[in-house]
Amino acid sequence: MSRFGLYSVALLVLMADQASKSWIVAVHWHWPEEGRELIPGFFALTFNVNTGGAFGILPHGTLLLALAAAVAAVAIVVYSVRAPMPLPRLLGFALALPLGGALGNLLDRVRLHHVIDFLALYAGPDRQWQFPIFNLADSAICIGVCLLALYYGRQPAPANEAVLGLKDN
């Protein structure tokens, strides 16, 4: 994947994230408090303002999390600028998704001092088991990290040993 492709995918993630958050802000006032159930017993759109991090960590850590997102985004950009092109397609997507997601949540934190979350997964009577509410940016970050693990997990063993410092010189 070229740098243009990587940055284009990141921009698409950022735009989809911001558009979905704008939409949920515009429509959530018409819903009951628990949101709109789309798949009964499993999935709903539920408006939530999150001043903390993903999955409720650092409940009031907006500034710290904004800084972490900015550092992550800069690290990905620096890596992509220094990497020989083209990148393998899987690696390009694995970098583009968290870049777009980090920028989407960073934009919220800078503009709003919180992040808009709205995707709710749950199970059981009365939502007994509920996953923390999240958004498209969070999803892109998680998928990108999984793709990075997949990409580097598929590399030949000697390369992994050298990276980890396990190979004797």
Side-chain angles (χ1 to χ4, degrees):
M1 176 179 283
S2 67
R3 282 185 191 87
F4 177 77
L6 188 151
Y7 299 144
S8 295
V9 170
L11 181 61
L12 286 173
V13 168
L14 172 64
M15 291 180 353
D17 174 66
Q18 291 298 298
S20 65
K21 290 172 181 173
S22 293
W23 176 79
I24 203 73
V25 166
V27 302
H28 87 276
W29 302 108
H30 308 289
W31 296 352
E33 180 139 340
E34 66 274 3
R36 287 277 185 198
E37 194 170 50
L38 298 181
I39 301 174
F42 181 71
F43 177 67
L45 297 177
T46 304
F47 179 81
N48 185 51
V49 171
N50 182 357
T51 59
F55 315 124
I57 60 171
L58 296 172
H60 302 289
T62 293
L63 182 59
L64 179 63
L65 292 163
L67 181 61
V71 168
V74 168
I76 292 170
V77 169
V78 167
Y79 177 85
S80 67
V81 166
R82 297 184 68 189
M85 288 292 149
L87 292 173
R89 185 172 292 144
L90 180 61
L91 181 58
F93 278 106
L95 294 171
L97 294 176
L99 175 59
L103 291 174
N105 282 342
L106 176 62
L107 187 58
D108 280 7
R109 290 185 193 287
V110 169
R111 286 184 320 116
L112 308 170
H113 305 288
H114 61 263
V115 172
I116 302 296
D117 290 331
F118 59 94
L119 301 171
L121 297 174
Y122 54 89
D126 299 322
R127 297 184 183 192
Q128 185 176 357
W129 299 283
Q130 183 164 333
F131 191 78
I133 299 171
F134 57 102
N135 59 44
L136 292 183
D138 298 333
S139 299
I141 292 167
C142 291
I143 292 168
V145 169
C146 289
L147 290 176
L148 277 172
L150 178 66
Y151 175 79
Y152 284 109
R154 290 174 44 187
Q155 298 302 307
N160 286 341
E161 289 173 2
V163 168
L164 297 173
L166 301 174
K167 187 174 181 182
D168 292 329
N169 291 328

